[in-house]
Amino acid sequence: MIELLLDFPDGRSCPVLVGSGASAELASQIPDRARRVAVVTQEGIPVQVETDRETQVFLIGQGEKYKTMSTVEELCSQFANWGLTRNDVVVGVGGGLVTDVAGFAASVYHRGIDVVHVATTLLGQIDAAIGGKTGVNLAQGKNLVGTYWQPSAVICDTALLGSLPEREWKCGLGELAKYHWLGGGTLDALALDERVAACVRIKAQIVASDERESGQRALLNYGHTLAHALEVDGDHKLRHGEAVAIGLVYAAELALLMGRIDAAEVEEHRRVVQGYGLETGLPQDCDIDRLMGLMGRDKKVLESGYTFVLLGEAGVEVVRGVDPTLMRQAFDSMRSTA
Ligand code: GLY
C-alpha cells in the first residue's frame, strides 16, 4: 500500500491510499466522530463498503444526465430523511461522476460535512477524486456549478481497475498521458500502483500550492482546451480521456508552430498517446469553425482571446492571446499527419 498525504499550507491534510485491496482500509478512514455513513454510489459498482458505523447506501443514476442539481437535492433530502447530522460522513464510491456529486452534496448538506472518496476508475484515482473539486452540469455546460471541498481521505483501490470496461480504462489513460509533461517523465515504465501514485503525487503538489486555481492548478488542464471543444462538438461521442489524448497532440502541434518546442517533442506526444492505445488524429467529422468558437468560450478563459496550456522550455505554462491563425494551422498539421 502506498500512503500519500496532500498537505495544504494552512495545516489541512488529506491522506490518499493507493494499492490493490486499498478499499479494505475504508473503515480506518471514517472520522471518529461520525455515527452514520451515507454511501453514495451507482448500481453495479463492485465495492462492498464495510464500516463499523450505521451505514446506508444511496444510489444515483448512470450517465452525465444525472450529474445535476436535482440529483444533489434528492440526495440531500434522503440524507435529511435518514437523519444524517453534521458530525456524520458521506462516502462517495465510484468514478468521477459519483465523487463529484457526492462531494458536492457533502459540501452543501448542513453547510458542509465530511466526505471520503473511494475512487473506482483510473480517471477518478488520478484526477477526479483528488484535489477537492466537486460539481454538477447545467444545460449551459459541464461542471458549471460546484464547490471546492477537500475529502478527509481518498482511497484508490487499483485491484478494481482490472475489471474496468476497455473504453473506461482508455479514458483514464488519456488523462494519465498528460502527467508525462507535468513532471511525470517516463511514467509508462512504472508498475500500475506506482504509476497511479506518481500521478496523485503530481496532482497533490499542484493542488496544495493552488487549491482554488488562481495559477498553477490550471496546468492540470494540459490538452483540455481542444478536448472540451471536441467533446461538445461531437455530442460527447468521444469520452473525456479520448478527447484529452487528441488535445495533447494538438497542443504540441500548436507549441511547435509558436516556436516553443521542436518536432521531436511533438513526436514524443504522439509516441506516448499511441503507446496508451489512444487515437492522435481529429475525428473525421469535426467542424473546425465550431471548435474554434467553442475554444473561445472555454471555462478557463477569463478574458477575450484564446487560452492554452502549452509546453515550452520552462515546462508547461498558461499562454493567453494565442493567434487564431496558428490554431487553424495546427489543425492542418493534425490532418496532414493523420
Ligand atoms: N481536473 C483538474 C483539477 O482538478 O483541477
Side-chain angles (χ1 to χ4, degrees):
M1 187 82 55
I2 304 169
E3 290 195 34
L4 308 167
L5 204 60
L6 207 164
D7 267 324
F8 293 94
D10 61 6
R12 282 172 303 143
S13 65
C14 166
V16 183
L17 309 185
V18 181
S20 178
S23 38
E25 299 298 318
L26 175 62
S28 69
Q29 300 304 315
I30 301 292
D32 289 341
R33 64 182 183 168
R35 204 167 55 79
R36 291 182 161 184
V37 178
V39 176
V40 176
T41 188
Q42 287 167 321
E43 199 95 58
I45 302 255
V47 180
Q48 285 308 321
V49 175
E50 309 223 338
T51 74
D52 49 3
R53 324 289 159 91
E54 198 182 339
T55 299
Q56 185 149 314
V57 173
F58 300 88
L59 292 175
I60 60 173
Q62 316 264 0
E64 288 287 318
K65 70 171 191 270
Y66 291 101
K67 196 176 178 188
T68 58
M69 295 289 274
S70 36
T71 298
V72 172
E73 184 178 2
E74 177 69 12
L75 273 177
C76 289
S77 299
Q78 291 174 341
F79 294 165
N81 286 339
W82 188 41
L84 202 71
T85 73
R86 66 167 58 121
N87 285 338
D88 292 330
V89 63
V90 171
V91 176
V93 182
L97 190 153
V98 172
T99 54
D100 277 9
V101 169
F104 189 19
S107 74
V108 291
Y109 183 73
H110 284 208
R111 299 200 179 84
I113 69 170
D114 287 330
V115 64
V116 173
H117 292 316
V118 180
T120 61
T121 63
L122 181 59
L123 191 67
Q125 297 186 359
I126 62 167
D127 188 33
I130 311 292
K133 275 189 182 173
T134 82
V136 295
N137 304 331
L138 294 180
Q140 288 78 359
K142 268 175 70 97
N143 297 332
L144 290 188
V145 180
T147 55
Y148 289 100
W149 192 248
Q150 291 301 333
S152 37
V154 180
I155 292 178
C156 302
D157 187 343
T158 50
L160 302 171
L161 303 181
S163 56
L164 282 184
E166 164 90 8
R167 206 151 171 222
E168 181 62 52
W169 170 246
K170 280 202 171 168
C171 206
L173 290 175
E175 196 73 48
L176 192 146
K178 80 179 179 193
Y179 286 102
H180 280 250
W181 294 279
L182 295 177
T186 50
L187 270 179
D188 37 359
L190 299 178
L192 182 62
D193 287 10
E194 291 293 344
R195 209 186 297 181
V196 170
C199 296
V200 171
R201 241 180 241 117
I202 295 170
K203 182 157 186 185
Q205 207 173 8
I206 293 176
V207 171
S209 70
D210 177 27
E211 187 179 8
R212 296 198 167 223
E213 199 164 314
S214 49
Q216 287 285 101
R217 187 163 181 163
L219 304 182
L220 291 165
N221 292 303
Y222 190 38
H224 284 54
T225 310
L226 177 62
H228 288 146
L230 284 172
E231 285 175 82
V232 175
D233 181 58
D235 209 10
H236 297 278
K237 282 196 290 294
L238 269 184
R239 300 280 301 273
H240 179 64
E242 295 168 330
V244 170
I246 299 167
L248 288 169
V249 175
Y250 177 78
E253 291 284 8
L254 186 57
L256 173 69
L257 289 168
M258 293 170 73
R260 300 175 59 87
I261 60 171
D262 60 17
E265 189 60 74
V266 181
E267 269 325 294
E268 176 62 4
H269 279 67
R270 286 208 163 77
R271 184 195 70 77
V272 168
V273 169
Q274 284 166 350
Y276 286 126
L278 290 153
E279 283 294 327
T280 54
L282 294 168
Q284 289 291 344
D285 55 353
C286 69
D287 176 337
I288 303 297
D289 290 328
R290 186 149 183 255
L291 290 174
M292 292 290 293
L294 289 164
M295 286 193 286
R297 292 203 298 273
D298 193 86
K299 185 150 51 71
K300 310 291 165 199
V301 177
L302 300 179
E303 48 206 74
S304 59
Y306 293 99
T307 299
F308 282 84
V309 178
L310 294 175
L311 190 57
E313 261 176 32
V316 286
E317 60 186 333
V318 175
V319 181
R320 298 190 195 284
V322 174
D323 181 350
T325 311
L326 294 181
M327 288 166 61
R328 287 183 183 274
Q329 281 176 25
F331 281 120
D332 293 341
S333 308
M334 298 278 283
R335 288 242 147 102
S336 65
T337 43

